[in-house]
Amino acid sequence: MKQKLIFTNLVGEAIDTLVGELGNPQVVVVADTNTAQFVLPILRNDSKAVADARFISIKSGDANKNLDELQTVWRELSAMEATRSTIVINLGGGVVSDLGGFAAATFKRGMRCINVPTTLLAAVDAAVGGKTGINFNGLKNQLGSFYEPDAAIISTIFFNTLPEQQILSGYAEMLKHGLLENPDTLAKLLKYSPVYPVFDSAALMPLLEANVLVKANIVDKDLTESGLRKALNLGHTIGHAFEAYSYEQKSPIAHGYAVAWGLVTELVLSDILLGFPSETLHQFADYVNKNYGAYPITCDDYPALIAAMRQDKKNTNPSDINFTLLEAVGKPRIDVVVSDDKIKAALDIYRDLMHLA
Amino acid sequence: MKQKLIFTNLVGEAIDTLVGELGNPQVVVVADTNTAQFVLPILRNDSKAVADARFISIKSGDANKNLDELQTVWRELSAMEATRSTIVINLGGGVVSDLGGFAAATFKRGMRCINVPTTLLAAVDAAVGGKTGINFNGLKNQLGSFYEPDAAIISTIFFNTLPEQQILSGYAEMLKHGLLENPDTLAKLLKYSPVYPVFDSAALMPLLEANVLVKANIVDKDLTESGLRKALNLGHTIGHAFEAYSYEQKSPIAHGYAVAWGLVTELVLSDILLGFPSETLHQFADYVNKNYGAYPITCDDYPALIAAMRQDKKNTNPSDINFTLLEAVGKPRIDVVVSDDKIKAALDIYRDLMHLA
């Protein structure tokens, strides 16, 4: 894999080393209005490269991951006469690395790029694997490219000030990686809680390191999502439906929570269709219930949820609903088409497992 | 190399075969206002895939290779619910394949793409090798990506209606490839003339086929221009300076003509600095003089020309002027820094060879 993964809490030092290895070219930091205010001043203290760097600010929030903000970055790169050797450091959550990464991928056909994720979700997801992009025409990630950054610097120092909900949101993606990896990795993840009794970032670090490597290994084998990488969609067909439906209902839920509940329901499907072990399913459902609570649905919600699943962009045939499921922990099967009846049965069992029924 | 190269004058048939091999997905043709009028109707007759395809029109001309037109293409792809499997057929010159290719590279992180060049210049240059992009902020090809199309269909049937000047413009890039390849390829090119006595497309086809493969082989070894691909800059440092200067002087010359004269002058530099054979230089200069005439410069123009060379984006150090030169035909040397005095001497000899002095 092209991308170097550095796990450290000495972020400033790691940046200076990397910039030195790349021959000390021009450096530009892309940050959003939040990270510019709270994180950038600290890094300016700790890193000569960041202190000397140019700075481009984008508006925070997924609603601003759009062509207007991308044009701002392109224009500023052009104004500072950035070259292919210039290093773009994306300092922020997924919005920053997606948009800043896409700018780096396309300015002069590709600049150097280092991701410094400041949220747990970005550390385990957006910052690694080279998916860059923006929303366009009302659709998420409609424009973008596969472009691996030179490096990602993964640390937990930025997480201590994150709201509990954001930590849990990121941890849901870690649980997904654990399910895709092996029983041992999953067991370690289920032993830890990011919120009970309190958030312990020191204990999180080794789990995070192993977890990022799970994703990196999958991406390494299939950068452009022609096969294996689809395994990373586990939990997301139903998760996205929960998320989309919650927006329709005007009481939005966080992405990671939707994924956690989507994972439970897709493990139910895996149990019904592929013999995924019931004991592990129950253990997983209990963990999610304890940490995330439950998304309260009734059978009246089923038709709208299934309609949302049918719109998933992963479906190749518009009438089919396509899943990544598990035969066992660490044994994904991609492109499983499931009938509406089976999905309804799984939603029934989800409600049962979450004590909603 | 990922890109399939098909040399045929049965273009419609070739498109249908390719589309069939790719599983007959949705097809969209991107063309400019010229090719839409003159070429598309013919292909609609000859190809079922083109007859059934959606169609996106962009404005013709390099001035329209911009973000506005790119947004048009993105929006229409979005409106027709194009997917990663959809095939974009770029039907036109370099503007169409650059812009349509960039749209294909970035819509949903990459669609399928077939280039059908309708000019000689596009056939030997833009359509092959995966450089896509648009102009931005007043600078040429400022945004783009390296994205190899699935195929290029190279034919001469569209060239018979091209103005003589456009044929010569494309042929200059062919001469460059001949210089980079070997004495035999070059000799064949110098034996043919695209205008004396008249344009003979049947005799051009075998030359064109060999020529496209020269470029394809170089690109294959170095897609992202980290080294060897820089050889393709031969003739372009001085050529671009001639071109830029002609625009400043309000009497613009065609790109290919500028390259032809740039090649002569850079062969002079190659002769002075690297011992490139004088006999070949003289033979080449005579050929260019006979077919392209001469760009009439005097020593008063030297300072402005050298200033233009200094602004070339290929220079890594802004004070240096960087060249690709030849030790002999087929023996390029990249990243040769040349002093202003040597450049002036070469311009003197260019004027002499072209009977201007």
Side-chain angles (χ1 to χ4, degrees), chain A residues 8-19 42-50 116 153 157-158:
Chain A
T8 178
N9 280 331
L10 301 171
V11 177
E13 222 169 81
I15 291 174
D16 286 352
T17 305
L18 273 171
V19 171
I42 303 169
L43 279 189
R44 279 201 171 122
N45 249 335
D46 294 350
S47 156
K48 191 181 175 309
V50 174
V116 182
I153 300 172
I157 49 164
F158 309 117

Side-chain angles (χ1 to χ4, degrees), chain A residues 5-9 117-125 127-128 153-159 167 170-171 173-175 177 185 188-189 192 199-216:
Chain A
L5 298 173
I6 298 159
F7 299 90
T8 178
N9 280 331
T118 58
T119 67
L120 180 56
L121 183 57
V124 291
D125 194 14
V128 175
I153 300 172
I154 312 280
S155 90
T156 58
I157 49 164
F158 309 117
F159 303 163
I167 301 273
Y171 203 72
E173 296 288 344
M174 291 180 65
L175 292 171
H177 293 152
T185 304
K188 282 181 188 148
L189 289 168
Y192 176 88
F199 175 54
D200 177 353
S201 70
L204 178 65
M205 192 57 154
L207 295 172
L208 181 58
E209 187 161 344
N211 212 279
V212 169
L213 293 175
V214 173
K215 173 163 184 190

Side-chain angles (χ1 to χ4, degrees), chain B residues 26-44:
Chain B
Q26 184 186 37
V27 175
V28 50
V29 173
V30 177
D32 66 24
T33 33
N34 288 328
T35 48
Q37 189 181 351
F38 298 109
V39 184
L40 188 57
I42 303 168
L43 279 189
R44 279 201 172 124

